[in-house]
Every structure is written in C-alpha cells, then in structure tokens.
Amino acid sequence: MKNRLILGVLFIVVTVSVVFIIGRSRQAASAVNLGEARPAAEEATNLVPADASATPDSTDVLIPAEKARMAPALASGTWLNSETLTLEKLRGRVVYLEFWTFSCSNCINTLPAIKGYDAKFREKGLVVIGVQSPEFESEKSLETIKRGVARLDVKYPVVTDNEMKTWDAYGVNAWPTIFILDKQGRIRYKHVGEGAYAMQERVIQTLLAEGDKAMSSTTNDEFGGTKIVRSDEEWRKLLTPEQFHVLREKGTERAFTGEYADNHEAGDYYCRACHLKLFSSKTKFESGTGWPSFYEPINKKNVTEIADRSYGMVRTEVVCSRCGSHLGHVFDDGPQPTGLRYCMNSASLKFEKS
Ligand SMILES: [Zn+2]
C-alpha cells in the first residue's frame, strides 16, 4: 500500500515535470523536440558550424544555407511595438521568431533570454519578433494582448496571429517554438520548448557574422558566390540619395555630371555599394558619352548581365554580381579587343588610385 502511494506520487511528479518541460503541446502526439541540456561551460562566443546532415526542418542544429528553406511570409496581424514588418523588409537582418502567447508559462520562461538577445544584438542586425499565437479565445483580445505585452515588459515587435495563419505556414504545433532566419530570409534553426539558449545565441552570432564575412572578406577581387542582401532601409543608410537611386532603383545619372567620366588616373573602380572590384583604369576609354566607359570588367564573374527591355529599348543591364546593384549597361559598339562598351554610372563606382 505504501509502495503504491510512493509510486503514485512519483508518477504525478514525473508527469507534471514532463508537462512543465515540454510546454503546451497542441497535439498530444506532436513531435516536440526538447532542447537538450548543454554543458554550462559552453562558450557563447564561438560560431557554430552548420550541420551537414541536417534537413530543412531539423531542430537544434544550424541548418546549412544550401539546405535551408525560405521562411514563409508573416500573415497580416496587428503589430505592437513596431510598424508593420515583412520578411522582405527585413532582408539583410537576422530574424528571431518566437511563436508564443503571453499567458503560456513556458513562453514566459524564455523571455529573459530573448530580451537578452534583443538587447545584445539589436544594433548588430538582429530583429526579434514575437508571433502572438493564441491557444484560448481570451488570448485573442487586442486589449488583453497589449496588457500582457506591457506587463511582461516586452519591447521588441509582437504581431498577432489570431487566425493562426503564420503558425500553420511554419508548421508549428507547440508553444513556444523558435525559428532563426538568416539575412536572406531562410530558416536556419528551429527549436521547440524552453532551453537551448546558449546554442541560440551562437546561432544568432554565426548568422550575423555571415554577411559581415562577405562584406569584409579579402576576396573583393573576385565574386566568391556569397551574395550580399540588404533591405532598402539599410542601403539608404549606407548610400547617398543619388547613389541609392542609381544603384538600388536602376537610375541613370545625367551625362557629364558624374565624377569619373573624365578621370584619367590609374587605379581600380569598385562597386560603390559592396566594394567588389569591377573595372581597371587600363580598360577605360574615351567614349564621349559623358559616362565612364570600359571595354571589359576586371573579372567576368564580378558583373552580371541582364536583358533590359525598359523604355522601349532592348539593352543589356550590368549589375554587381555580389550585391545586385545597378551599374549601367553594356553595348557592342566599343573598341577592340572586345568591341564592348561598358557604360557605367559614376555614382555606382568608387575609384581607388593604384
Ligand atoms: Zn556590389
């Protein structure tokens, strides 16, 4: 009798613990994957290598970029603490998405860590978004949500998902579920439940460093295959209004107004937006057009040519292979040895003397 009582108590304790640990599961049989306990001594500063054996839906490992799937769009909802955000707008940033609801205790337990990421990495390019995914009717009222968000002192953007459209698009079935998206909007990490905080911090750092590596790499001479993706908002911060218009909106500067049409100094011309080396003064020639003109790029890989049928003309647009910025057009009336004329905008280039 006494043994049974002990067993019963033990059973209850274990059951309560399990429920507590896994969080609220929508389906009893949902595949809730616990963030396994990691050694306390884990270094948070080390970048985490991608797991080559990972699948696009893997949990708790860094999914390699080439296997990662694009994150579904965020369904429209009401935004708190922020203007309306879209993943398109957030390209160039690492996005941390938590599916949560303000009255879920497991979700609330994750908040100190998430607020920590927000405080530590917001300025470095991380955007934390709480997707308010109601389990109960009472969790759908905007007033109640607002009160919950204020009471919990959540300062990062929160968007309501009352119809669970974003929840369904991401295939979520438990609170809380976390996704971390890279700067290109791909899902690179998924975690269900509490925990794995040090791992998540390392994933955030790794993904933040990915773009930086491309920007600061020593391979400015040759496009290495890693594209640089930034939101318009970020490009605007990096470029003057004229540069933004030409590079990011395919504008054309007026002839004879740019700073390089008459530049005869020896040196190289780099992409103004991402500093990839594009042209050498050795291939520059007097075209008389009022735009800096070259008969070939420094490396064919560094520029990409795109058919352009705008303004009723058939032309070939030239863009930077690494950042996709508009540079100018290429025509077949240039001098030998190529017979090509790369007609560039000065605003798209940055000259550096050799
Ligand atoms: Zn570029």
Side-chain angles (χ1 to χ4, degrees), residues 256 259-265 269 280-295 333-336 340-343:
F256 301 103
E259 64 179 309
Y260 299 135
D262 276 331
N263 183 26
H264 300 289
E265 290 194 279
Y269 294 81
S280 159
S281 59
K282 291 175 196 153
T283 64
K284 193 169 187 286
F285 67 94
E286 289 307 315
S287 64
T289 58
W291 289 287
S293 304
F294 306 83
Y295 62 75
D333 57 7
Q336 288 309 313
L340 298 172
R341 172 169 60 95
Y342 286 84
C343 182

Side-chain angles (χ1 to χ4, degrees), residues 22-33 171-174 192:
I22 65 173
R24 285 192 277 175
S25 181
R26 214 167 201 219
Q27 299 154 9
S30 72
V32 174
N33 190 331
V172 178
N173 55 25
V192 183

Side-chain angles (χ1 to χ4, degrees), residues 271 274 320 323:
C271 171
C274 79
C320 169
C323 72

Side-chain angles (χ1 to χ4, degrees), residues 70 87-94 125 182-186 207-208 210-212 214-215 223 225-235 238 248 273-274 321-325:
M70 288 303 288
L87 295 184
E88 284 290 312
K89 249 193 218 175
L90 294 171
R91 286 294 141 77
R93 296 190 187 241
V94 174
D182 67 16
K183 293 179 179 178
Q184 337 278 316
R186 297 173 294 214
L207 297 181
L208 285 172
E210 276 189 354
D212 298 344
M215 278 306 274
F223 173 53
T226 308
K227 294 198 183 225
I228 290 173
V229 180
R230 291 184 184 282
S231 64
D232 281 353
E233 186 196 346
E234 285 177 305
W235 284 124
L238 296 169
R248 305 306 308 172
C274 79
S321 296
R322 185 158 68 180
C323 72
S325 290

Side-chain angles (χ1 to χ4, degrees), residues 138-332:
S138 60
E139 293 167 355
K140 293 184 180 177
S141 144
L142 188 59
E143 279 318 301
T144 318
I145 296 168
K146 276 186 185 166
R147 271 203 304 276
V149 166
R151 177 171 45 80
L152 295 166
D153 198 29
V154 169
K155 297 282 202 315
Y156 51 79
V158 171
V159 60
T160 61
D161 189 27
N162 281 355
E163 284 146 53
M164 307 301 265
K165 282 187 182 161
T166 307
W167 171 283
D168 289 338
Y170 279 75
V172 178
N173 55 25
W175 293 264
T177 294
I178 283 128
F179 293 89
I180 307 180
L181 281 45
D182 67 16
K183 293 179 179 178
Q184 337 278 316
R186 297 173 294 214
I187 296 174
R188 300 289 300 278
Y189 177 85
K190 180 185 175 187
H191 174 78
V192 183
E194 298 177 33
Y197 303 122
M199 173 67 176
Q200 289 174 29
E201 180 159 345
R202 287 168 59 202
V203 168
I204 292 167
Q205 286 174 316
T206 302
L207 297 181
L208 285 172
E210 276 189 354
D212 298 344
K213 247 187 284 168
M215 278 306 274
S216 64
S217 70
T218 51
T219 59
N220 280 331
D221 287 355
E222 183 178 313
F223 173 53
T226 308
K227 294 198 183 225
I228 290 173
V229 180
R230 291 184 184 282
S231 64
D232 281 353
E233 186 196 346
E234 285 177 305
W235 284 124
R236 278 185 206 278
K237 283 185 196 154
L238 296 169
L239 303 169
T240 66
E242 195 208 2
Q243 289 163 3
F244 180 85
H245 175 61
V246 173
L247 287 156
R248 305 306 308 172
E249 301 178 318
K250 302 187 188 301
T252 300
E253 69 197 11
R254 281 190 299 125
F256 301 103
T257 63
E259 64 179 309
Y260 299 135
D262 276 331
N263 183 26
H264 300 289
E265 290 194 279
D268 295 312
Y269 294 81
Y270 293 81
C271 171
R272 176 78 72 163
C274 79
H275 209 255
L276 182 64
K277 200 188 275 187
L278 301 173
F279 296 98
S280 159
S281 59
K282 291 175 196 153
T283 64
K284 193 169 187 286
F285 67 94
E286 289 307 315
S287 64
T289 58
W291 289 287
S293 304
F294 306 83
Y295 62 75
E296 72 183 353
I298 251 171
N299 188 325
K300 272 269 178 197
K301 277 189 192 167
N302 294 8
V303 296
T304 300
E305 298 180 4
I306 301 170
D308 174 7
R309 291 173 193 281
S310 62
Y311 301 104
M313 291 179 275
V314 180
R315 293 182 298 173
T316 303
E317 184 195 4
V318 180
V319 303
C320 169
S321 296
R322 185 158 68 180
C323 72
S325 290
H326 174 77
L327 305 171
H329 289 88
V330 59
F331 303 93
D332 60 5

